[in-house]
Amino acid sequence: MTISRTVCLGFLALITVGTLLLMMPFSASTGTWIPPLVALFTATSAVCVTGLSVVDPGSYFSFWGQFLIAALVQIGGLGYMTTTTFLILLVARRFDLRHKIAIQQDLDRPGLQGSTLIIRSIVATTLLFEITGVFLLLPVFVPDFGWQRGLWFAIFHSINSWNNAGFGLLKDNFISYQSSILLNIVVSGLIIFGGIGYRVIFEMFLWLRDRLLNKSRRIVFSLNFKVSISTTLFLLAFGTVAFFLTELNNPGTFGSMSLGNKLMAAWFQSVTTRTAGFNTIDFSKVTTTGLFLTIGLMFIGASPGGTGGGIKTTTLRILFSCTKAILQGKEEVELYQRQVPLSLILKAIGVLVGSVTTVIISLALISLTDPKFDFIQLLFEVVSAFATVGLSTGITASVSAWAKLVLIVTMYVGRVGVLLLMAALLGDPRPSAIHYPEENVLVG
């Protein structure tokens, strides 16, 4: 079995186990069996760290059902191979070359060295951020729900924020907390750091450590760090300004807020649309321009190695750099005085084409089964599922059973990745020694 098939089947196994457990009566608040489609949709959404739901998780599921969702989100956010490898390390077993190659593909790493240390560092970083998030969210939820429920709310939402999942236990998500400065800062921070990628966080840590220890050595940041940070900052700033301008005079979203709350809401939506799924405004009342803006940000997503989805910030940057090089008449693609390898350019193009194709096919299928909904609503739902975001205009529970199955497949494809899934279906590509002669073709 190829490594790509191992990863893809691993996620399918997690979804299957999660579905069976969520169907059990102990998972429902009413103590009855949960319908298979509801359990399957919820398990897939949790494992794929999406956050789309056909029911209200806070009232429909019991504590154990909510606990299972949080556990599936945690495992799905870490990744199948990261979780299984960490369990192998816990029982003091060594893993072989096959495990190392699987980790390399699952985490999109350039090499195999230091896999054990990387896994431990990822788990430690995850726990550090999530525990910090729990303590910071306690002052938000405990005064409203008491210590027992408040603590659970803090744990559940911290896990979902870090893993960019978006499941919420409140009926209105975070709309009732849109003016809470602490919640907006903590949840936004967890989403950003969770989605920016572990390699970027590690480089940040090394730089801070050297500054605190007054070490004179000069840290050379990697190209991945520079591209991820700069693109993320630009998208956050652009999204904030764009949301503020498009929703400024919309009475259904920003209308009754103060100027400060409008800016904070614009910032939060800019952050969460990048694959987190939480919201402090009602997206069923967002303007058409705002929905298109959200669709664009959702499709781009987070950074490689993080817990978010989408085509990734680095893919976007490479594609823009390709366009820039063509317009300038250059034959090489450069970023920060570094030449981008042709293999990465081809991979970025493959990710874009595969992603667009997936969205188009899913949208066409759902349009056939549910023609009663507006096109923009269906497009929003499909991109949210593919980019593992979890935002919705409120139609998730109302679409047909066939549409729900399409969304389930779309979430799965978005989580494992188009290229990895194709490798699993067709087999890992093998290098060829055959080189054909070049010939030009008209383009553009």
Side-chain angles (χ1 to χ4, degrees):
M1 184 184 295
T2 63
I3 300 302
S4 54
R5 286 175 186 168
T6 301
V7 175
C8 291
L9 290 176
F11 276 103
L12 285 178
L14 287 173
I15 292 171
T16 302
V17 173
T19 301
L20 294 175
L21 291 174
L22 286 174
M23 285 175 59
M24 299 296 176
F26 65 79
S27 295
S29 59
T30 57
T32 57
W33 288 86
I34 291 178
L37 185 57
V38 174
L40 175 61
F41 194 99
T42 306
T44 305
S45 185
V47 171
C48 298
V49 291
T50 305
L52 281 176
S53 183
V54 293
V55 295
D56 174 33
S59 60
Y60 189 87
F61 293 100
S62 65
F63 167 78
W64 292 111
Q66 296 170 12
F67 179 84
L68 282 172
I69 292 174
L72 292 173
V73 166
Q74 188 72 282
I75 297 172
L78 285 172
Y80 165 72
M81 286 309 305
T82 302
T83 305
T84 53
T85 305
F86 181 69
L87 293 177
I88 291 174
L89 294 175
L90 283 181
V91 296
R93 285 182 54 191
R94 297 177 62 87
F95 53 94
D96 54 19
L97 180 63
R98 188 178 184 83
H99 272 96
K100 292 182 178 180
I101 296 175
I103 294 168
Q104 178 196 17
Q105 291 196 7
D106 192 31
L107 301 178
D108 197 20
R109 295 189 65 225
L112 303 178
Q113 294 81 12
S115 297
T116 303
L117 180 61
I118 287 294
I119 294 298
R120 288 172 174 164
S121 300
I122 291 174
V123 174
T125 302
T126 297
L127 293 177
L128 175 63
F129 274 91
E130 287 180 351
I131 292 172
T132 303
V134 170
F135 280 106
L136 292 176
L137 288 175
L138 284 176
V140 177
F141 295 119
V142 170
D144 293 336
F145 301 100
W147 270 102
Q148 187 174 355
R149 289 190 69 197
L151 176 61
W152 173 237
F153 273 40
I155 293 172
F156 187 90
H157 291 104
S158 180
I159 291 174
N160 276 269
S161 297
W162 169 259
N163 289 289
N164 279 228
F167 280 102
L169 298 180
L170 300 168
K171 283 187 176 296
D172 64 352
N173 209 283
F174 286 146
I175 294 178
S176 55
Y177 287 92
Q178 62 185 199
S179 60
S180 172
I181 297 176
L182 182 58
L183 181 137
N184 278 266
I185 292 176
V186 174
V187 173
S188 296
L190 289 172
I191 291 170
I192 292 171
F193 280 102
I196 207 168
Y198 73 92
R199 273 185 280 177
V200 173
I201 295 176
F202 292 167
E203 288 191 54
M204 284 183 180
F205 169 75
L206 293 176
W207 180 81
L208 287 172
R209 184 191 65 181
D210 287 352
R211 297 286 77 76
L212 293 174
L213 296 177
N214 293 320
K215 289 188 176 181
S216 58
R217 71 184 180 122
R218 181 171 174 264
I219 296 292
V220 179
F221 291 114
S222 66
L223 182 61
N224 178 75
F225 179 93
K226 295 175 182 177
V227 172
S228 297
I229 289 291
S230 59
T231 309
T232 297
L233 291 176
F234 170 79
L235 290 173
L236 288 174
F238 169 78
T240 301
V241 174
F243 267 113
F244 181 79
L245 294 177
T246 56
E247 301 301 315
L248 180 61
N249 297 315
N250 183 1
T253 53
F254 287 7
S256 59
M257 297 184 193
S258 64
L259 179 60
N261 284 344
K262 287 180 180 179
L263 289 170
M264 189 161 60
W267 159 258
F268 190 87
Q269 265 55 237
S270 177
V271 173
T272 196
T273 50
R274 304 272 311 293
T275 84
F278 290 118
N279 57 284
T280 57
I281 61 173
D282 186 354
F283 268 87
S284 66
K285 299 177 181 178
V286 171
T287 62
T288 303
T289 305
L291 290 179
F292 271 111
L293 169 66
T294 304
I295 289 170
L297 291 174
M298 289 193 300
F299 188 73
I300 295 169
S303 298
T307 56
I311 64 171
K312 302 295 189 291
T313 55
T314 49
T315 302
L316 175 72
R317 193 67 177 273
I318 288 173
L319 293 172
F320 265 106
S321 297
C322 287
T323 305
K324 180 181 177 182
I326 292 296
L327 294 176
Q328 292 178 340
K330 296 181 179 179
E331 296 184 355
E332 296 178 349
V333 178
E334 299 175 354
L335 274 171
Y336 294 102
Q337 299 180 336
R338 294 290 187 273
Q339 182 178 337
V340 180
L342 177 62
S343 59
L344 285 183
I345 297 173
L346 294 177
K347 184 177 181 180
I349 294 173
V351 168
L352 178 65
V353 173
S355 300
V356 171
T357 302
T358 302
V359 169
I360 290 175
I361 293 175
S362 299
L363 180 61
L365 291 174
I366 295 181
S367 297
L368 289 174
T369 60
D370 294 73
K372 62 181 179 292
F373 294 108
D374 293 337
F375 173 80
I376 186 67
Q377 289 179 304
L378 296 180
L379 178 61
F380 191 97
E381 204 78 10
V382 168
V383 174
S384 179
F386 173 77
T388 68
V389 180
L391 289 173
S392 175
T393 57
I395 68 170
T396 311
S398 303
V399 297
S400 65
W402 285 110
K404 290 185 177 73
L405 291 174
V406 173
L407 290 176
I408 287 171
V409 175
T410 305
M411 287 189 286
Y412 175 75
V413 174
R415 178 63 185 93
V416 299
V418 175
L419 298 186
L420 188 66
L421 181 61
M422 293 306 298
L425 295 174
L426 304 177
D428 292 328
R430 297 179 180 179
S432 174
I434 301 175
H435 296 279
Y436 295 99
E438 290 185 358
E439 184 175 350
N440 289 328
V441 63
L442 297 178
V443 175

